[in-house]
Amino acid sequence: MSSIGLPELIIVLMISMSAVVIMWPAGRICRRAGYSPWLGVLSVIPIANVLLLWFIALAEWPSARAARQP
């Protein structure tokens, strides 16, 4: 086994930065919709990201429900 070199480190950093760039706005969208911002983590998991989009699109948002009630 060899040690991790610079090219591998660059790849890991690029993947980590890509994950953050995707998760941060997804977490903000979930928070504004009234759900936990931790649902944004699902945006980087291959099948879960599509399910998250469908859930956010079709579910009744708690924030909208609270705005309707007097």
Side-chain angles (χ1 to χ4, degrees):
M1 295 268 178
S2 64
S3 64
I4 295 178
L6 185 62
E8 290 86 5
L9 182 62
I10 291 172
I11 290 171
V12 168
L13 288 173
M14 293 297 288
I15 291 172
S16 299
M17 292 300 293
S18 298
V20 169
V21 166
I22 293 169
M23 284 190 300
W24 183 68
R28 288 185 49 96
I29 290 169
C30 291
R31 185 178 52 182
R32 286 187 183 187
Y35 296 106
S36 172
W38 286 101
L39 284 174
V41 173
L42 295 175
S43 64
V44 294
I45 301 172
I47 301 288
N49 59 3
V50 175
L51 295 175
L52 175 66
L53 288 174
W54 278 93
F55 173 73
I56 294 295
L58 299 176
E60 183 179 3
W61 295 1
S63 60
R65 187 180 324 128
R68 267 190 314 207
Q69 293 179 356

